Coordinates of all heavy atoms in Angstrom, one line a residue:
Chain A
L345 N 97.7 84.5 88.9 CA 98.6 85.2 88.0 C 98.7 84.4 86.7 O 99.1 85.0 85.7 CB 99.9 85.4 88.6 CG 100.0 86.4 89.8 CD1 101.4 86.4 90.4 CD2 99.7 87.8 89.3
Y346 N 98.3 83.1 86.7 CA 98.4 82.3 85.5 C 97.1 81.9 84.9 O 97.1 81.0 84.0 CB 99.2 81.0 86.0 CG 100.6 81.3 86.3 CD1 101.0 81.6 87.6 CD2 101.6 81.3 85.3 CE1 102.3 82.0 87.9 CE2 102.9 81.6 85.6 CZ 103.3 81.9 86.9 OH 104.6 82.2 87.2
L350 N 91.5 85.8 82.6 CA 91.6 87.1 83.3 C 90.9 88.2 82.5 O 90.3 89.1 83.0 CB 93.0 87.5 83.5 CG 93.7 86.8 84.7 CD1 95.1 87.3 84.9 CD2 92.9 87.1 86.0
S351 N 90.9 88.0 81.1 CA 90.3 89.1 80.3 C 88.8 88.8 80.1 O 88.1 89.6 79.5 CB 91.0 89.3 79.0 OG 91.2 88.1 78.4
E352 N 88.3 87.7 80.6 CA 86.9 87.3 80.5 C 86.1 87.5 81.7 O 84.9 87.8 81.7 CB 86.7 85.9 80.0 CG 87.1 85.8 78.5 CD 87.5 84.3 78.2 OE1 86.8 83.4 78.7 OE2 88.4 84.1 77.4
A354 N 84.7 89.1 85.3 CA 84.2 90.5 85.7 C 85.3 91.3 86.5 O 85.6 92.5 86.1 CB 82.9 90.5 86.4
S355 N 85.8 90.7 87.6 CA 86.7 91.5 88.3 C 87.9 90.7 88.7 O 87.9 89.4 88.6 CB 86.1 92.0 89.6 OG 85.9 90.9 90.5
Q356 N 89.1 91.3 88.8 CA 90.3 90.7 89.0 C 90.2 89.9 90.4 O 89.9 90.4 91.4 CB 91.5 91.7 89.1 CG 91.6 92.5 87.9 CD 92.2 91.7 86.7 OE1 91.5 90.8 86.2 NE2 93.3 92.0 86.3
P357 N 90.6 88.6 90.3 CA 90.5 87.8 91.6 C 91.6 88.3 92.5 O 92.6 88.8 92.1 CB 90.9 86.4 91.2 CG 91.1 86.4 89.7 CD 91.0 87.8 89.2
V358 N 91.3 88.2 93.8 CA 92.3 88.6 94.9 C 93.5 87.6 94.9 O 93.2 86.4 94.9 CB 91.6 88.7 96.2 CG1 92.7 88.9 97.4 CG2 90.5 89.7 96.3
I359 N 94.6 88.1 94.8 CA 95.8 87.3 94.7 C 96.4 87.1 96.1 O 96.6 88.0 96.9 CB 96.9 87.9 93.8 CG1 96.3 88.1 92.4 CG2 98.1 87.1 93.8 CD1 97.3 88.7 91.5
K360 N 96.6 85.8 96.4 CA 97.2 85.5 97.7 C 98.7 85.1 97.4 O 99.1 84.9 96.3 CB 96.5 84.3 98.4 CG 95.0 84.7 98.7 CD 95.0 85.3 100.1 CE 93.6 85.5 100.5 NZ 93.0 86.8 100.3
K361 N 99.4 85.0 98.5 CA 100.9 84.8 98.3 C 101.2 83.3 97.9 O 100.6 82.4 98.4 CB 101.6 85.1 99.6 CG 103.0 85.5 99.4 CD 103.6 86.0 100.7 CE 105.1 86.2 100.5 NZ 105.8 86.5 101.7
T362 N 102.1 83.2 97.0 CA 102.7 81.9 96.7 C 103.9 81.7 97.6 O 104.8 82.5 97.6 CB 103.1 81.8 95.2 OG1 101.9 81.8 94.4 CG2 103.9 80.6 94.9
D395 N 107.5 77.8 86.0 CA 108.2 79.1 86.1 C 109.2 79.1 87.2 O 110.1 80.0 87.2 CB 107.2 80.2 86.3 CG 106.8 80.9 85.0 OD1 107.3 80.4 83.9 OD2 106.1 81.9 85.0
M396 N 109.1 78.3 88.2 CA 110.0 78.4 89.3 C 111.2 77.4 89.2 O 112.1 77.4 90.0 CB 109.3 78.1 90.6 CG 108.5 79.3 91.0 SD 107.5 78.9 92.5 CE 105.9 79.0 91.9
Chain B
E229 N 87.2 94.8 94.5 CA 87.9 95.4 93.4 C 88.0 97.0 93.6 O 87.2 97.5 94.5 CB 87.3 95.1 92.1 CG 85.8 95.5 92.0 CD 85.2 95.0 90.7 OE1 85.7 95.3 89.6 OE2 84.2 94.2 90.8
L248 N 93.6 96.4 100.0 CA 93.6 95.4 98.9 C 94.8 95.6 98.0 O 95.5 94.6 97.6 CB 92.3 95.7 98.0 CG 92.3 94.9 96.7 CD1 92.2 93.4 96.9 CD2 91.2 95.3 95.8
V254 N 101.9 92.3 98.3 CA 102.7 91.3 99.0 C 102.9 90.1 98.1 O 104.0 89.5 98.0 CB 102.0 90.9 100.3 CG1 102.7 89.7 101.0 CG2 101.9 92.1 101.3
S255 N 101.8 89.7 97.4 CA 101.9 88.5 96.6 C 102.8 88.8 95.4 O 103.5 88.0 94.9 CB 100.5 88.1 96.0 OG 99.6 88.2 97.1
M256 N 102.8 90.1 94.9 CA 103.5 90.4 93.7 C 105.0 90.5 94.0 O 105.9 90.2 93.2 CB 103.1 91.8 93.2 CG 101.7 91.8 92.6 SD 101.6 90.8 91.2 CE 99.9 91.1 90.7
E258 N 106.7 88.4 95.7 CA 107.3 87.1 95.6 C 107.8 86.9 94.2 O 108.8 86.2 94.0 CB 106.2 86.1 96.0 CG 106.6 84.6 95.9 CD 106.2 84.0 94.6 OE1 105.1 84.4 94.0 OE2 106.9 83.2 94.1
V259 N 107.1 87.4 93.2 CA 107.6 87.2 91.8 C 109.0 87.8 91.6 O 109.8 87.2 90.9 CB 106.5 87.9 90.8 CG1 107.1 87.8 89.4 CG2 105.2 87.2 90.9
R262 N 112.0 85.6 92.5 CA 112.2 84.4 91.8 C 113.4 84.5 90.9 O 113.8 85.6 90.5 CB 111.0 84.0 90.9 CG 109.8 83.7 91.6 CD 108.7 83.3 90.6 NE 107.4 83.3 91.3 CZ 106.3 83.0 90.6 NH1 106.3 82.8 89.3 NH2 105.2 82.9 91.2
I264 N 113.3 83.4 87.7 CA 112.7 83.9 86.5 C 111.6 84.9 86.9 O 110.6 84.4 87.4 CB 112.1 82.8 85.7 CG1 113.2 81.8 85.3 CG2 111.4 83.3 84.4 CD1 112.7 80.5 84.7
K266 N 109.1 86.7 86.1 CA 108.1 87.1 85.1 C 106.9 86.1 85.3 O 107.1 84.9 85.4 CB 108.6 86.9 83.7 CG 108.0 87.8 82.7 CD 108.7 87.6 81.4 CE 108.3 88.7 80.3 NZ 108.8 90.0 80.5
V267 N 105.7 86.7 85.2 CA 104.5 85.9 85.2 C 103.6 86.3 84.0 O 103.8 87.5 83.6 CB 103.6 86.0 86.5 CG1 104.4 85.3 87.7 CG2 103.4 87.5 86.9
P268 N 102.8 85.4 83.5 CA 102.1 85.8 82.2 C 100.8 86.6 82.3 O 100.1 86.8 81.4 CB 101.8 84.4 81.6 CG 101.6 83.5 82.8 CD 102.5 84.1 83.8
T269 N 100.6 87.1 83.5 CA 99.3 87.7 83.9 C 98.8 88.8 82.9 O 97.6 88.8 82.5 CB 99.3 88.3 85.2 OG1 100.0 87.4 86.1 CG2 98.0 88.6 85.8
Y527 N 97.8 95.2 87.8 CA 96.9 94.0 87.8 C 95.5 94.5 88.1 O 94.5 94.1 87.4 CB 97.4 93.0 88.8 CG 96.5 91.9 89.1 CD1 96.3 90.9 88.2 CD2 95.7 91.8 90.3 CE1 95.4 89.8 88.4 CE2 94.9 90.8 90.5 CZ 94.7 89.8 89.6 OH 93.9 88.8 89.8
T530 N 93.8 96.8 85.3 CA 93.5 96.3 83.9 C 92.4 95.3 83.8 O 92.2 94.7 82.8 CB 94.8 95.7 83.3 OG1 95.4 94.8 84.2 CG2 95.9 96.8 83.0
G531 N 91.7 95.0 84.9 CA 90.6 94.1 84.9 C 89.5 94.8 84.1 O 89.6 96.0 83.8
K532 N 88.3 94.1 83.9 CA 87.3 94.8 83.1 C 86.6 95.9 83.8 O 86.4 95.9 85.0 CB 86.2 93.7 82.8 CG 86.4 93.2 81.4 CD 85.3 92.3 81.0 CE 85.6 91.8 79.6 NZ 84.6 90.7 79.2

Side-chain angles (χ1 to χ4, degrees):
Chain A
L345 292 172
Y346 290 90
L350 283 175
S351 50
E352 284 159 43
S355 74
Q356 300 290 66
V358 173
I359 298 180
K360 298 272 188 266
K361 205 173 173 189
T362 289
D395 261 7
M396 285 177 245
Chain B
E229 57 188 301
L248 171 68
V254 172
S255 315
M256 293 297 182
E258 179 264 327
V259 174
R262 295 182 189 177
I264 301 169
K266 208 177 187 74
V267 289
T269 317
Y527 170 75
T530 51
K532 261 189 182 171

